[in-house]
Structures are given as structure tokens and as C-alpha cells.
Amino acid sequence: MVDEDEQAWFKYPQHRKWFNKLYVADHFGYKCGPAGIPVPEPGEYVVRPIYNLAGMGVSATILYLSPKNLSIIPPGHFWVERFQGTHYSVDYVKENGRFVQLNCYIGVNSPTNLSLFSSWTRSDHVFDLPHSLMELDVPKLNIEAIGDKIIEVHLRNGFDHMMQYESIIPVFEHHSKKRIGYKYIDGEAEGYGWLPQKRLGYIVK
């Protein structure tokens, strides 16, 4: 059973390139580059770690960059053009040699802190996988996308264990575990200590 990226890293060594978020951005033709490479033009870019098996947007931020201010991008990070649109997380399972969409959730996060998601809501949106992902020889897949732009690929599912719920609200430290019509379930996560607030669980309905 593969439920976490750490498990997938060891289970599928032939597909480790998909853990590399700079590779993903370059593969899909986005404007991107590692620390030390200048951006093509001034503007707002997403800056995040090239590898992050902790997930949850750890250390991801939005910065205004110009071709001359390379020093503000930390080593081990990369920049990528910023996309506007709906944030989707979509799970797939492989049936008869093809990935079939299992679910889709819409995420809302803080515009100033990309690791703090305020909600995930079930959607009937259908996201068609590109051919390069359809060919992966793994039983489960999860992608995250902004609009039609895939920004993350995971060799496991994200919401298959929670897709009986229509609404999923992460509960971080100092947040209430109570909301009318919802129930609380545990789901502790620290993001390897890099989350600005520890996640305690979720309230769901």
C-alpha cells in the first residue's frame, strides 16, 4: 500500500523524476528555472523547493522577481510562472491499463501563504490526463493543477480515503475543531517541521 510520497519514492524508483517539481514545470513547458537562473521578465513568480516530499506547499511562496534580483531565491528552490485559476486536486486509479478519474477537489489557500489551505470541496470537474502521465505504470495517481496547468504529480492518491466527504476543512493549531454540521477527524501533520502552523486534522461533512 502506497499512501505517502516517501513510500512511493522507494516503491517506484523508475519514476523519481516526477518528484522533481522543476522537472514537472519544464516538462509541461512553463517558464521556470532553478535558483541562479534569471527570470525572463519582472513579475510575480511562485518560488518553491525543487523536491518536497512533505507536501502541503511547504516553503512555497510568491515573490516579485526581476532578472537582476537572483539572490532572494534560496538554494534548492526554483521559480515558475504564476498561474491564476482554480486549484484542483484529482485522484486516478488504473483500470484495464488506463487511468480512470476517481474524484476531484477544489482547494482554497491563503494568497500570502501557499501552505495554509482553508478548504477542499468536492467537484464534478473532469481533468484529462496528458499522454505522458497516462503511460505511468503505477496503480494510483494524483495531480494538482491550477486551471489546466499541472503543477504537481504524485504516485499515490490524495483524497481516496476521504472522498465520502463533500467538504474538507483543514484544522491547524489555534483553529476551532467545531463547526455546525461538521465532524472532526484526526489528521496530524507537521510538514517535517516547516509548516508555519501544525495541522491537527480536519472538520468534514
Side-chain angles (χ1 to χ4, degrees):
M1 181 70 70
V2 175
D3 297 316
E4 303 291 341
D5 285 335
E6 177 187 357
Q7 296 168 317
W9 175 271
F10 292 106
K11 181 72 173 178
Y12 311 118
Q14 72 275 28
H15 297 314
R16 285 179 180 168
K17 64 185 180 182
W18 295 105
F19 291 88
N20 183 321
K21 293 176 174 55
L22 174 56
Y23 169 82
V24 172
D26 188 59
H27 174 81
F28 289 114
Y30 310 149
K31 297 175 184 177
C32 60
I37 297 299
V39 298
E41 57 194 11
E44 287 190 333
Y45 294 82
V46 175
V47 175
R48 56 196 313 212
I50 293 174
Y51 285 94
N52 170 28
L53 273 69
M56 296 178 287
V58 166
S59 296
T61 189
I62 296 169
L63 295 177
Y64 183 89
L65 301 176
S66 74
K68 296 182 179 180
N69 66 348
L70 302 179
S71 62
I72 67 173
I73 303 176
H77 286 57
F78 75 104
W79 56 265
V80 62
E81 59 184 300
R82 184 184 182 187
F83 301 121
Q84 302 289 346
T86 302
H87 187 124
Y88 295 108
S89 182
V90 191
D91 286 342
Y92 304 84
V93 293
K94 183 154 281 189
E95 296 180 359
N96 300 317
R98 291 187 59 82
F99 281 115
V100 176
Q101 184 170 318
L102 188 62
N103 57 53
C104 176
Y105 282 84
I106 293 175
V108 176
N109 60 2
S110 166
T112 58
N113 191 324
L114 301 182
S115 66
L116 292 180
F117 277 85
S118 59
S119 67
W120 292 96
T121 306
R122 181 192 289 278
S123 169
D124 59 3
H125 178 74
V126 175
F127 196 103
D128 293 326
L129 283 177
H131 183 71
S132 57
L133 296 183
M134 219 18 129
E135 289 191 326
L136 289 176
D137 56 338
V138 296
K140 296 181 178 182
L141 197 68
N142 169 271
I143 62 98
E144 293 199 31
I146 305 297
D148 62 350
K149 308 293 187 183
I150 294 175
I151 59 171
E152 292 189 11
V153 176
H154 302 282
L155 309 177
R156 42 81 179 167
N157 282 168
F159 284 97
D160 60 345
H161 62 300
M162 299 181 73
M163 67 180 188
Q164 68 267 38
Y165 304 117
E166 297 293 321
S167 177
I168 302 169
I169 299 176
V171 177
F172 294 92
E173 286 180 310
H174 315 305
H175 290 188
S176 174
K177 296 180 180 179
K178 296 181 179 180
R179 181 175 293 198
I180 295 174
Y182 287 76
K183 70 175 181 178
Y184 174 78
I185 58 175
D186 285 323
E188 187 174 305
E190 295 183 344
Y192 299 153
W194 289 99
L195 278 178
Q197 292 176 262
K198 179 181 177 181
R199 193 188 70 206
L200 305 177
Y202 306 91
I203 50 176
V204 298
K205 71 172 182 179

